[in-house]
Amino acid sequence: MGLESYQQGIKGEEIAENYLLEQGYQILEKNFHSQQGEIDIIARDKDFLVFVEVKNYSFRSYGSPVGAIRKSKKQSIVHAAETYLYKKKIRNTYCRFDVLTIYRRKDGSRAIELYKNAFTIN
Amino acid sequence: MLVKINSAAILGLEAYLVEVEVDSQKRLPGQSIVGLPDASVRESRDRVRAAIENSGFEFPPGYFTINLAPADTKKEGPLYDLPIALGMLLVSEQILKKNPDGTVVLGELSLDGQVRPINGILPICLSLGKKRKKVIVPKENADEAALVGGINVIPVNSLREAADYLAGNIKISPHKVDIDALFQSQPEYGIDFADVKGQGHVKRALEVAAAGGHNVLLVGPPGSGKTMLARRIPTIMPPLSLGEALEVTKLFSVTGLLHGKGALVTNRPFRSPHHTTSDIGIIGGGRIPRPGEVSLSHFGVLFLDEFPEFDRNVLEVLRQPLEDGKVTISRAHSSLTYPAQFMLVAAMNPCPCGRLYDFNQSCICTPAQVQRYWRKLSEPLLDRIDIQLEVPRLKAEEISAMPTGESSKEIRKRVMQARKLQSERFKGCQIYSNAHMNPKQIKEYCVLDKEAENILKSAIVHLKLSARAYDKVLKVARTIADLEGLKSIQAQHVAEATQYRSLDRKGGEF
């Protein structure tokens, strides 16, 4: 699994990026890390600063990927988002957390879904 | 950006104004509610979000701080859903408010954006009516709110409707009810004294009890009709006045017992809590004290079946409200007083197996068991019960006979006459019925003629009546004389009154 899933991840993020560009997002940053968290993609969608979490899953995985974002994962994203806002000195901006899921079917084709405003900080 | 909307909170039977402040900030999305919300207030977050989205609005972005001012009193219940949702829509400028400030907004939201009814509308409107003239309420509560004259009640069905109203897109005319018509149109009890077979002397005693507001203890074997008789006591009590009905409605409203029962309680309450009820359930209480059974039977009947089966402490807490007609409940958070003017009707078996003194069955209890059973009832408690009655098992021919006897309506006529005499007698006093006379008043109003005095004297000797029982006999005799419309108490009144001391006649115990 190890290498394969890593490659799928890289591939997934490429697909996600293209998809977001298609949707009119402007990509600002990829794989942003803070001490306790990370964000896959940071983008701008009109007035919003959007923190996007990309989730890959395939016919082999179990359950929905949105449900897979648990409290600890959420906290890590929120922490990274706060760090980002602080470092870039961004204030007075509407922010949003989106989740983008990429489902790989048995035949190798993919279905992409974007959940806007998927969660809040509490 | 900040928006303020008025709402209300209930403390006891009073309400105070709560300002719902909604502030939004452009930062990471989230929401917090401050101002000592309880779980049901905090959960409004999820209801509000769903209701806003399902009403065709957009859930606004940004971080929301919602403050329920004053911030130092605890807020409970879902009634802040609607004000919070409207606040968020106003803050995000999805509705532009045209109507003037000062409107009080109340309502729970369901996920589809419908406004659900809430508890305590009547006390809120009564308390705030003086200061605020316009109230937005759930449609199902509109009648109840409109009982309070002089305020504009705006009923709303949904969040969308409330928003449109605030924005001035639609006009909703204030809801009005004809209180008198509503008061008259309520259904009667649906049960009648004429339904009860036999038990003529018990019916008579209950008539006396209802006329004088005396508390009653019914002692009889299972199946003798104790419960059936007790249930019918409210039907012979005088009808509630409008003022009394409003007070009872207030109590039912804060406890949430009003749903589906119309806007106004016009029948006297009859409450029969099970004997496993806790003392808090009887007297009222909780972190923020709520009315208990004694308050819910205000102006009505509190029926305690299987009287000795209640916990000892439950029975003892009854003493103070029986005396004062109200209960004061103190908790760390607050001290509240609820009214509790009720008539206590207690029922019990003569012994644990129920067959003691039955004419065709023999009791299987040991004397010690019987004694233990009776010992549950303390002297001070029995002291507050004026009428003690035996309810014997019906004979075969009585059971098969058609029910006969007077209807509740006829009995009630006499009761009302007697009550009228009493209210004239006690004009200016704190009390309203014979049962509540103090020793001085007994001396003043219970004057016996010579013959009556002789009978009472011999009753004291032969029935071994205690000094306490003596006063009770006088009070009950006074009521019996009132039922006949007589000024002075005569021999037959005293004779009948001594009949209602079964316990004393048997030496405090059967």
Side-chain angles (χ1 to χ4, degrees), chain B residues 309-327:
Chain B
E309 301 292 344
F310 280 84
D311 274 346
R312 183 72 188 239
N313 58 330
V314 172
L315 295 180
E316 296 309 310
V317 293
L318 281 174
R319 281 155 52 178
Q320 191 248 342
L322 276 172
E323 199 74 1
D324 301 344
K326 59 180 195 241
V327 267

Side-chain angles (χ1 to χ4, degrees), chain A residues 48 51 78 81-82 85 91-97 117 119-122, chain B residues 24-32 45 49 53 58-63:
Chain A
F48 285 89
F51 303 96
V78 170
E82 274 168 352
L85 293 178
R91 270 186 225 115
N92 235 342
T93 305
Y94 283 129
C95 304
R96 205 171 69 203
F97 296 104
N117 208 359
F119 58 88
T120 60
I121 63 174
N122 52 8
Chain B
S24 101
Q25 286 170 18
K26 288 183 178 179
R27 54 190 185 99
L28 293 178
Q31 201 185 92
S32 68
R45 196 170 79 189
R49 168 191 269 270
E53 283 174 354
E58 202 181 305
F59 191 78
Y63 189 90

Side-chain angles (χ1 to χ4, degrees), chain B residues 43-82:
Chain B
E43 280 173 356
S44 84
R45 196 170 79 189
D46 299 325
R47 286 192 296 270
V48 164
R49 168 191 269 270
I52 285 180
E53 283 174 354
N54 292 331
S55 297
F57 293 107
E58 202 181 305
F59 191 78
Y63 189 90
F64 287 89
T65 311
I66 293 147
N67 180 33
L68 308 174
D72 61 343
T73 56
K74 289 199 169 109
K75 318 295 185 311
E76 56 173 7
L79 75 167
Y80 305 110
D81 289 3
L82 186 58

